[in-house]
Structure formats: C-alpha cells, structure tokens
Amino acid sequence: MSQIYDRVALIGLGLIASSMYWAVKRAGLAGEVTGFARSETTRETARRIGLCDRVCDTVQEAVEGADLVVLCVPVGAMEGVAQQIAPVLKPGATVSDVGSVKRHVIEAVSAHIPEGVHFIPAHPLAGTEHSGPESGFAELFDNRWCLLVPVEGSDVDAISGLRALWEGMGSNVDEMDADHHDLVLAVTSHAPHLIAYTMVGVADDLRRVTDTEVIKYSAAGFRDFTRIAASDPTMWRDVFLTNKDATLEILGRFTEELFALQRAIRTGDGEQLFDYFTRTRAIRRGIIDAGQDTDAPDFGRGKT
Ligand code: NAP
C-alpha cells in the first residue's frame, strides 16, 4: 500500500483514533500523523505508548499543515473542535470525522469549514465497548464497513483520497446520504444499545434476583447485553441526543412489536412466536453469510 497523505492529524485520541493510527502505520498510508487530545493525561499516555508520530499540546499545532484532519471526538464535541481549528486549516485540506451520527455533525461542522477546505464526513462501522488511547488496535477496521457521507458539492478527488485511506486501513467503503445513514444506524446500532442499557438496568433493579445470581448465572444473552451496556456513557449520551428522530421512530416500532409478542405469550399463541423467531433466525444467518460475524458457538469466545 502506498502513501495517500503527507500529513494526517487525529483530533481526540480514543478507541477510533488510536485504531486509525495503528492501521495507517500498518499500511504506510501517511508520511506523518500528528495527534491531539484535550487532557494532559491522554496526551501523556499517547506519548508513552508511541501513539502518533507527534503528540501536540494544542489542537491548532496538530492541525497546522495537515492534508487530512479527522475529528475523533464525541458527536457533541465536534462543533467546538471545528471552530477551534478553522483558522489554521491548510487550503485544499480535507476535514473528516468518525462520528456515529451524521446529520447533526454535518450541521454542526459545515458552518466552520473555510472556503477551499473539503469536508467529507465518514463513519466506520466498527468498535468495541472499550475506550481511550490504549484501547485501539490495527485490525479494528478489517473487513468492516466504513460509510462516507459526502455533502453537496463534495470534491471528487477529496472523496477518492479518503476512500483510499479507509480501504488501506482494511475497510469496505460505501457512500450514503446522511438521513438514511442515521435511520440505518438507529436500527442496527443505536436502538439495540438502548435496549441493552435498559435490560441491564432492569436486572440491576430487580431485587428478587440478587446481583450475585445475575453475574453467576448470566447466560450468553445477558452477557452480551452487559458488554454493550459497558460502552462509553459520553459517546452514547451524545448519540441519542443527536439522532433523536430516527431513534424514536425505531423505538416506537420496537415497542409495538414487543407488545405483540407479549400478547402472544399471554394468550399462548405458540404459532406466532415460532413464526417470528424463524424469521429472525434467517436475519442472523444473513449476517454470518455476509462475513460480518462468526457462527462459532458463543461467538467464538471459548469456555471463558
Ligand atoms: P473515546 O475512546 O472515548 O475517545 C474520545 C476522545 O475524544 C478522547 O481522546 C477525549 O479526550 C476526546 N474528547 C472528549 N470530549 C472532548 C471535547 N469536549 N473536546 C475535545 N476532545 C474531547 O471515543 P471513541 O470510541 O474513539 O469515539 C470517538 C468518535 O467515534 C465518537 O464520535 C463516536 O461516536 C465515534 N465512533 C465510535 C465507535 C465505538 O464503538 N466506540 C464506533 C464508530 C464511531 P480525553 O481523553 O482527553 O478526554
């Protein structure tokens, strides 16, 4: 793989930025990668583990002279960062982001992008429940999708450059319109996270089952919920605040279906339950056939 950008700046040094750094280095996609995080602690950790070629003490210093600037901060922090970097962006540079919600980020960031700088929003559909500078790894994006969400009039060469970077980091790349992205993600990621948070909360509140029992006898279903519900609170607060309409639409539909299943259980309608579960099983098969998960028992976790 050959170099795509002379200099890349990563703003925010958590799970996604650190994974990007290791993936960029693995394939030699950039000459130099600079990095900035708001806290001194995170910057010190980054220096200690060799995350970024140069960790800067100000966001402006990290961005100066960069050909690509990627905003890797929580969705609610994007606008503030865009405002801070606007005066120092290099003419002809590309600004991108990795935020989990796109319409809000486009509205919050676009206004601050100077003439002659290209803004190409993006969202890698890859992550773990861990966060921070030490949680990243080069393989995170391998065979995962990255959605590019070009805004009106986006520069074709700037899109090609960013596409090549994500492909070089191991991703499959697609382009999508912002509103459709937010609806798709509400179904595939945002509503499921809320359901996991709720289920773990319910188990915690249920006094007739002790915490020890929940932990000791937690079967695969609940264990998967607890893993998802351990995700970063700031990131997920921002996702729900900024993808409000699509999430509420999906949760409305979810509630209707839940009531229908609840009724089927109460009335003993086994046929309805069986048909429903048969349909959903086929969806799982489709995900495995598309290479997006493993059908190994217990998701390949082994006996741990
Ligand atoms: P993370 O590990 O929690 O790291 C967030 C980084 O942003 C940290 O370096 C933090 O700095 C910095 N930051 C937080 N608030 C800030 C503010 N107000 N101003 C400036 N910097 C700030 O987060 P992440 O998981 O990498 O997520 C980053 C972005 O990727 C989010 O927009 C998220 O929606 C998106 N995303 C996440 C996933 C996922 O599964 N995690 C997947 C795809 C996309 P300090 O360390 O100094 O506090």
Side-chain angles (χ1 to χ4, degrees), residues 4 12 37 48 51 56 60 144 161 190 192 201 215 241 248:
I4 296 162
R48 176 172 53 76
L51 171 64
C56 304
Q60 290 85 359
R144 297 283 168 227
H190 305 167
I215 293 162
L241 291 179
L248 289 178

Side-chain angles (χ1 to χ4, degrees), residues 31-299:
E32 188 195 30
V33 180
T34 56
F36 170 80
R38 93 191 137 158
S39 73
E40 179 65 40
T41 316
T42 299
R43 296 197 296 269
E44 268 169 19
T45 305
R47 287 186 184 114
R48 176 172 53 76
I49 64 173
L51 171 64
C52 292
D53 300 316
R54 195 155 50 86
V55 176
C56 304
D57 286 323
T58 67
V59 69
Q60 290 85 359
E61 192 189 333
V63 163
E64 251 161 355
D67 304 289
L68 172 70
V69 179
V70 190
L71 311 182
C72 306
V73 297
V75 170
M78 297 277 181
E79 180 166 18
V81 173
Q83 209 166 6
Q84 284 178 312
I85 64 172
V88 290
L89 285 166
K90 178 172 146 178
T94 297
V95 173
S96 187
D97 77 296
V98 294
S100 306
V101 177
K102 295 276 60 108
R103 174 58 61 200
H104 174 88
V105 170
I106 290 171
E107 278 164 13
V109 170
S110 292
H112 303 286
I113 301 294
E115 192 80 16
V117 172
H118 312 291
F119 177 42
I120 320 281
H123 179 201
L125 307 188
T128 74
E129 68 278 24
H130 302 296
S131 48
E134 293 182 274
S135 59
F137 52 98
E139 299 78 22
L140 180 66
F141 309 114
D142 286 350
N143 199 32
R144 297 283 168 227
W145 285 97
C146 179
L147 298 175
L148 302 188
V149 184
V151 292
E152 210 171 287
S154 286
D155 184 78
V156 177
D157 291 339
I159 298 174
S160 307
L162 193 64
R163 173 183 277 272
L165 183 87
W166 279 104
E167 286 175 348
M169 289 192 290
S171 286
N172 306 314
V173 178
D174 250 350
E175 287 183 27
M176 203 180 266
D177 153 75
D179 293 327
H180 192 61
H181 166 279
D182 290 354
L183 183 63
V184 169
L185 266 291
V187 178
T188 58
S189 171
H190 305 167
H193 267 82
L194 200 74
I195 293 161
Y197 281 123
T198 315
M199 197 56 229
V200 174
V202 167
D204 190 42
D205 291 342
L206 194 68
R207 291 295 160 223
R208 272 175 295 151
V209 178
T210 66
D211 285 356
T212 326
E213 283 174 316
V214 168
I215 293 162
K216 192 168 158 194
Y217 303 125
S218 111
F222 186 73
R223 245 191 313 153
D224 289 328
F225 277 144
T226 59
R227 186 183 59 73
I228 296 169
S231 301
D232 186 64
T234 305
M235 169 187 158
W236 284 97
R237 177 202 61 198
D238 286 4
V239 165
F240 293 117
L241 291 179
T242 57
N243 197 19
K244 190 171 164 177
D245 294 345
T247 310
L248 289 178
E249 183 189 334
I250 300 306
L251 287 175
R253 286 167 184 258
F254 173 82
T255 316
E256 279 178 27
E257 303 257 327
L258 188 66
F259 280 147
L261 291 179
Q262 196 175 330
R263 187 164 195 284
I265 293 170
R266 187 161 45 78
T267 59
D269 189 344
E271 200 179 330
Q272 187 184 347
L273 295 173
F274 186 85
D275 289 350
Y276 202 94
F277 302 156
T278 304
R279 184 156 66 89
T280 54
R281 188 178 221 187
I283 294 173
R284 170 75 192 157
R285 190 76 255 154
I287 293 172
I288 292 160
D289 291 348
Q292 295 297 304
D293 207 345
T294 169
D295 65 352
D298 202 15
F299 304 95

